[in-house]
Amino acid sequence: GFSEFSQNVAKMTSLRDLCCEKLSNTDARVNLPGSARAPHIVSVTLPSIKSETMLNFLSGKGICVSAGSACSSHSRNISSALVGFGLKAEEADTTIRVSVGKYNTEEEILTFCNALIEGMNTLVRIKR
């Protein structure tokens, strides 16, 4: 019932917050849209690394994330949701979306964060 739902939301929120904390001193920018944010979604803008490049890197480590925003997942267009969110078009092109669920663990979040940091340190940056 409702108490199980609240526990799930609390768990997903704490996993999301852990992710934000781990990435806080990196070049990545975690996008959190005020109080309306979903407890299970983390949007991360990478420092001049194309989202597709990072997706491939993470996929090689068995980690599945998405590019852009959910609103643009079926189109090759730059996400209007992300641009509306204050991101420039080129930032939207370097943004990934991470979903956490009630079955995810802190260990998995840390594995993701470490892989993301490794990717940021090794992948080629886009020349702007």
Side-chain angles (χ1 to χ4, degrees):
F2 187 73
S3 65
E4 184 189 354
F5 174 78
S6 337
Q7 286 172 337
N8 291 342
V9 168
K11 179 177 183 195
M12 291 186 292
T13 302
S14 84
L15 291 176
R16 184 198 64 203
D17 291 348
L18 174 65
C19 184
C20 294
E21 182 193 325
K22 284 288 162 202
L23 297 177
S24 65
N25 58 356
T26 70
D27 290 339
R29 188 178 75 227
V30 180
N31 305 306
L32 295 174
S35 58
R37 62 184 183 245
H40 63 293
I41 305 258
V42 182
S43 169
V44 181
T45 299
L46 306 167
S48 301
I49 296 168
K50 275 196 169 288
S51 49
E52 297 285 327
T53 307
M54 183 61 84
L55 295 190
N56 291 335
F57 178 83
L58 293 173
S59 177
K61 297 187 170 294
I63 299 169
C64 294
V65 300
S66 310
S69 74
C71 317
S72 67
S73 56
H74 299 297
S75 102
R76 294 303 304 134
N77 299 336
I78 295 295
S79 164
S80 57
L82 289 174
V83 173
F85 196 52
L87 271 66
K88 299 184 194 76
E90 61 267 20
E91 290 175 320
D93 200 30
T94 61
T95 296
I96 60 172
R97 184 178 81 255
V98 185
S99 302
V100 295
K102 62 182 179 180
Y103 299 114
N104 285 120
T105 63
E106 285 192 8
E107 186 182 9
E108 287 170 329
I109 296 297
L110 295 175
T111 298
F112 160 72
C113 290
N114 290 334
L116 189 71
I117 291 165
E118 183 187 340
M120 286 191 290
N121 290 333
T122 58
L123 295 172
V124 176
R125 309 280 169 122
I126 309 165
K127 300 280 187 285
R128 295 259 185 248

